[in-house]
Amino acid sequence: MINRVLGVVAVLLLTTQQAYADPVMLTQSGTFLGRMPAGDADSPLRVTVDLDGDIPVATYAMARFQNNAPQLRMPGGGWLPWTENRADLVDNGFQTNDDGTLTFELIDDDLSISFRPVVITIAYSVGDDFKSGYVVID
Amino acid sequence: MLHRSLQIGLITTALMWANLAHSQSLTVDDVDQIISQAVAEASAHVADDAVIAVVDRMGNVLGVYAMNPTAVPDVTISSGRGIPVGNGLEGLTLAITPLATISKAITGAYLSSSGNAFTSRTASQIVQEHFNPGERGQPAGPLFGVQFSQLPCSDMARFGEDIGGGPRRSPLGLSADPGGLPLYKSGQVVGGVGVLADGVYGLDLSVADFDRDLDEMIAIAAQQGFEPPEDIKGHRITVEGKLFRYADVDGSFLRAGGATAAIDPANYIAVAGYTPAGRRSGLAYGSDASGITLSVDVTVPGSDVFVLSDGTGNNRYAPRASLAPAPVAGGLTSEEVRTLLTQALAVAYRARAQIRRPLGSHAQVSVSIVDAEANILAIARTPDAPIFGTDVSLQKARTATFASRSTTAEELSNVAEVELLPGVLTIPPLSTYVEAVQTFVGPTALADGTAFADRSGGNLSRPFYPDGINGNSNGPLSVPFEVWSPFNVGLQLDLVLPDIVARLDGSPPPPQGCSALPQSSAAPGPMPTRLANGLQIFPGSVPVFRGDMLIGGIGVSGDGIDQDDMISFLGLHNAGEVLDTGVGNAPPELRADNLVVGGVNLRFVNCPFSPFLNSREQGVCAGK
């Protein structure tokens, strides 16, 4: 089931590269992190987040396709269909860095982009809150 | 074994349908023929800078032809009522002629079906302050507000320059400007054609005359060979005893006599966000690739159900449990959603259609269900429901839900003023509308959890209150009639106008959809906003309750508004009886028809007389 995606037409290989020059802040309402052409997305999705003192309890990554087929990321990089229910999310285990930042590295993940654009959301939970941000891959 | 046989039967039926549908689509040669006929007629009128668009039934743009591609003229948006610039879209002159033609073509395609052929002129007749327009004392058009559907910011409509599954978004919503016609092959809708040659994106203020509209004459020429059957044209169909208008001219008025002209393939221009340069063939409605196909997982005994497909055999909106509230907190379970969906469709299959030929046909509609925070829980439809109802049913479901929340006033009030075109057009803060409603209805309006059906909110959204009574002031969600037109309606447009304008360059919708309202809290964003495909203000939806708790909404669109009301209201009522889990319509004491505003009760739903085929039942919604 892992890596099962709806009609794999194209494969997006996200390799390690810093997507943003400076750490970004995630927010409860969701920070828009920008759009990225699909061609550019063949390179990197590594996002470093300024935690601003937060101590994350868990970290998450989700993807939504235009065909309304949401998926969640498993710790090993596999993607599964997701109910869009917060309770069903799985901790990806990204660790806090020594400088108080946290880096989401989506390395060598396979994602169908047959229904672009795909919205990739990264998030962490802190207490009862979620803070998140998203990038749109066109 | 029985289950397996049923599955095989369904799959066989699906394949048969797919084969049938496959023969009904526009080819590249068809597109060229349509364009060449349009060019011949335009040339005969010396309309040498006309622009013509052809789309398929799902809204894929098959070609946009500019007779003078190096100097495509601008277009002025105007109702002809003399409303100055600074009032919604009125009076704006923009370089969006290709987008306007796409919207007109989509209107012809989306409003039509095998049982009814409507045009953008029909749309003009049903979106104005009276039905018919200009007839004092008559209520507003039955589809008042439908022009702001299929929006380019919608979270449901598909988009892009590829040919793929629909329904596709429309750059300006639906059009009331004559010159948008459906295209048919063998009695099946295969697309639409839209023309703009007169420089104005407008409407027809009167159906009492017969215009000689340039755009429409060119479109009639384009349509030759792809006309609908005569018996299903709008002028064969009545609502409230009034015939719809299909077109003001026919083939006998054409100067070119239906001739063709040479066309230059290089004149098929690119339109960002909609089509690359060139032309292509369309998709056959009903094929999996088209985005709408026969369902194998949502069934109504004895009847076919169609669903939105992702192109790989999956239902995009298969019934699922509520996200907010979750089922453990009272939200709908997936089984409840499925039951609600199929019960509504079952009512549709019994209902006598208002807008279809032949007489005695059942209603053809789309049904959408959302949870209390606008997350889509299911969408399904009868096979030949007009495409526009897909988006509109979702708008209606979300509108009834949003308006019935106790947070509506606060959430609207948090949407600030937008200076959209500096010095030209400013959208007021939406608190303006909240204050008007609370002055008009009462200080707790939109904050006390009163259950609003779309009909109730629609009562407050007309340019006269009560509806159609000339000389009265406007409803609080409308602008005054002096500045009202289908291009400047009030809250419905102000909520999404920034999203529409931001996408005139063809850019994709935001992931959360339209409006600056809050997003669903079910999961980390982006999630749909409360009105992620826009607000709708004509009837056909009710909020869904469990006891006295708001848990979502159901919206129906595709037939007459009373039929749509009945299918949503009775579908929910019947589902409640089947489920016996407390799910049902709002308790009568919570419904908006308890509100007496200006000496008149708001309405909740209106169900039609003698509504069912093979039955003489009357008053089918009374007491429920």
Side-chain angles (χ1 to χ4, degrees):
Chain A
M1 178 64 79
I2 289 182
N3 286 335
R4 187 186 77 80
V5 287
L6 300 171
V8 177
V9 175
V11 173
L12 171 62
L13 293 176
L14 301 170
T15 56
T16 316
Q17 188 174 325
Q18 184 73 39
Y20 305 95
D22 299 313
V24 297
M25 303 266 298
L26 305 187
T27 59
Q28 289 176 318
S29 58
T31 305
F32 178 43
L33 301 174
R35 303 193 86 99
M36 185 183 297
D40 292 353
D42 286 341
S43 43
L45 192 61
R46 171 192 281 177
V47 183
T48 298
V49 172
D50 179 353
L51 294 172
D52 194 28
D54 287 344
I55 302 175
V57 177
T59 57
Y60 311 98
M62 299 78 79
R64 291 189 183 84
F65 300 82
Q66 203 201 342
N67 65 346
N68 195 43
Q71 300 199 6
L72 62 84
R73 185 182 188 276
M74 303 296 286
W79 292 80
L80 289 174
W82 174 42
T83 60
E84 287 194 292
N85 195 322
R86 180 185 302 213
D88 295 334
L89 287 171
V90 176
D91 182 6
N92 272 226
F94 294 117
Q95 296 297 308
T96 304
N97 301 318
D98 291 341
D99 63 355
T101 63
L102 184 149
T103 302
F104 289 83
E105 287 188 319
L106 279 60
I107 306 171
D108 295 337
D109 289 4
D110 288 355
L111 275 177
S112 163
I113 55 167
S114 57
F115 296 103
R116 287 180 313 211
V118 57
V119 180
I120 295 180
T121 300
I122 55 175
Y124 62 81
S125 56
V126 50
D128 291 334
D129 287 333
F130 272 76
K131 292 189 177 181
S132 66
Y134 61 94
V135 60
V136 179
I137 300 174
D138 290 310
Chain B
M1 178 61 83
L2 180 62
H3 181 67
R4 182 173 171 75
S5 298
L6 181 63
Q7 276 196 328
I8 291 170
L10 286 170
I11 292 168
T12 304
T13 307
L15 291 173
M16 289 171 60
W17 223 100
N19 287 335
L20 174 66
H22 186 68
S23 63
Q24 310 300 331
S25 61
L26 289 168
T27 65
V28 167
D29 286 345
D30 292 336
V31 175
D32 281 344
Q33 179 185 337
I34 292 160
I35 295 296
S36 68
Q37 292 171 164
V39 169
E41 184 67 18
S43 298
H45 293 269
V46 201
D48 294 331
D49 53 6
V51 179
I52 307 113
V54 177
V55 303
D56 70 12
R57 187 176 182 183
M58 307 306 299
N60 287 296
V61 180
L62 307 185
V64 175
Y65 191 90
M67 291 179 66
N68 185 358
T70 59
V72 175
D74 293 346
V75 61
T76 299
I77 301 171
S78 174
S79 66
R81 294 194 66 228
I83 298 170
V85 174
N87 291 285
L89 292 163
E90 279 281 359
L92 299 178
T93 297
L94 302 165
I96 57 166
T97 295
L99 298 180
T101 63
I102 291 170
S103 296
K104 295 175 77 167
I106 283 177
T107 302
Y110 278 15
L111 289 181
S112 301
S113 72
S114 296
N116 72 292
F118 290 170
T119 67
S120 55
R121 185 179 288 279
T122 317
S124 173
Q125 186 183 4
I126 58 180
V127 300
Q128 297 194 47
E129 82 288 358
H130 297 299
F131 179 66
N132 285 313
E135 288 186 8
R136 296 171 64 84
Q138 297 297 314
L143 267 61
F144 186 94
V146 77
Q147 69 272 27
F148 296 119
S149 64
Q150 335 298 324
L151 297 172
C153 50
S154 167
D155 67 325
M156 186 280 290
R158 302 287 300 276
F159 62 95
E161 297 180 5
D162 62 319
I163 292 282
R168 295 272 164 157
R169 64 180 181 167
S170 178
L172 300 175
L174 295 185
S175 172
D177 185 29
L181 301 182
L183 299 167
Y184 282 74
K185 290 174 84 169
S186 303
Q188 303 284 325
V189 189
V190 290
V193 58
V195 177
L196 217 153
D198 60 11
V200 177
Y201 187 73
L203 49 81
D204 181 15
L205 289 171
S206 172
V207 297
D209 57 5
F210 285 85
D211 304 322
R212 297 292 175 267
D213 185 276
L214 178 61
D215 297 348
E216 189 171 64
M217 281 194 277
I218 297 170
I220 288 285
Q223 191 199 38
Q224 303 254 315
F226 301 91
E227 299 99 334
E230 187 65 24
D231 189 55
I232 67 168
K233 287 183 178 176
H235 58 240
R236 299 275 296 156
I237 296 170
T238 61
V239 165
E240 304 290 340
K242 297 171 182 175
L243 285 167
F244 285 130
R245 186 63 61 87
Y246 176 76
D248 274 11
V249 295
D250 59 27
S252 65
F253 290 86
L254 302 182
R255 291 187 184 175
T260 58
I263 57 173
D264 183 349
N267 287 24
Y268 282 105
I269 61 174
V271 182
Y274 293 90
T275 180
R279 78 284 201 220
R280 54 250 179 115
S281 57
L283 295 175
Y285 172 77
S287 64
D288 193 53
S290 76
I292 293 183
T293 193
L294 182 68
S295 173
V296 293
D297 67 335
V298 178
T299 57
V300 172
S303 303
D304 290 338
V305 175
F306 273 43
V307 294
L308 274 62
S309 164
D310 69 359
T312 60
N314 298 293
N315 181 351
R316 288 173 64 194
Y317 299 109
R320 63 170 177 168
S322 169
L323 303 183
V328 293
L332 289 161
T333 67
S334 61
E335 198 50 43
E336 287 174 330
V337 172
R338 183 180 294 273
T339 301
L340 177 49
L341 186 68
T342 54
Q343 287 294 324
L345 290 167
V347 175
Y349 275 109
R350 292 185 62 207
R352 187 188 316 278
Q354 174 69 60
I355 63 152
R356 299 181 66 83
R357 303 278 294 175
L359 297 178
S361 299
H362 66 75
Q364 296 268 7
V365 297
S366 299
V367 180
S368 293
I369 300 170
V370 300
D371 68 17
E373 294 193 2
N375 298 293
I376 303 172
L377 304 185
I379 297 178
R381 43 192 278 117
T382 60
D384 193 39
I387 300 299
F388 83 95
T390 319
D391 182 78
V392 170
S393 66
L394 180 59
Q395 288 185 313
K396 290 178 177 178
R398 283 173 163 161
T399 300
T401 309
F402 176 64
S404 302
R405 294 170 60 89
S406 57
T407 56
T408 309
E410 177 187 358
E411 291 174 353
L412 281 173
S413 296
N414 287 335
V415 179
E417 176 182 281
V418 178
E419 190 174 9
L420 198 55
L421 301 172
V424 176
L425 179 58
T426 299
I427 300 172
L430 300 189
S431 58
T432 306
Y433 294 103
V434 174
E435 291 162 6
V437 170
Q438 294 187 337
T439 300
F440 203 71
V441 178
T444 63
L446 303 180
D448 58 9
T450 297
F452 275 78
D454 230 353
R455 187 178 289 270
S456 325
N459 290 157
L460 303 174
S461 303
R462 301 299 190 262
F464 302 114
Y465 183 89
D467 189 10
I469 307 300
N470 297 76
N472 283 7
S473 62
N474 54 290
L477 300 179
S478 171
V479 295
F481 183 61
E482 291 69 30
V483 292
W484 180 93
S485 83
F487 301 122
N488 184 43
V489 298
L491 175 65
Q492 185 196 25
L493 176 61
D494 287 353
L495 189 71
V496 296
L497 187 50
D499 296 301
I500 295 173
V501 170
R503 273 151 202 91
L504 293 178
D505 63 359
S507 57
Q512 70 274 19
C514 309
S515 90
L517 292 170
Q519 299 176 26
S520 167
S521 64
M527 294 291 280
T529 72
R530 300 279 189 262
L531 297 168
N533 61 329
L535 178 76
Q536 196 45 263
I537 53 177
F538 69 96
S541 67
V542 290
V544 177
F545 277 69
R546 191 187 303 276
D548 60 0
M549 177 185 179
L550 174 70
I551 57 174
I554 177 172
V556 175
S557 187
D559 201 76
I561 52 175
D562 292 354
Q563 285 73 17
D564 293 352
D565 256 1
M566 178 183 72
I567 294 164
S568 59
F569 181 84
L570 272 191
L572 174 54
H573 173 81
N574 294 347
E577 295 211 321
V578 169
L579 291 164
D580 197 23
T581 57
V583 171
N585 281 293
E589 64 273 17
L590 286 184
R591 297 178 192 169
D593 54 6
N594 292 294
L595 297 175
V596 181
V597 183
V600 178
N601 287 72
L602 297 184
R603 306 307 297 259
F604 195 65
V605 293
N606 271 8
C607 296
F609 297 111
S610 191
F612 294 128
L613 301 166
N614 306 320
S615 161
R616 292 187 174 185
E617 286 179 86
Q618 298 284 10
V620 298
C621 297
K624 295 186 170 71

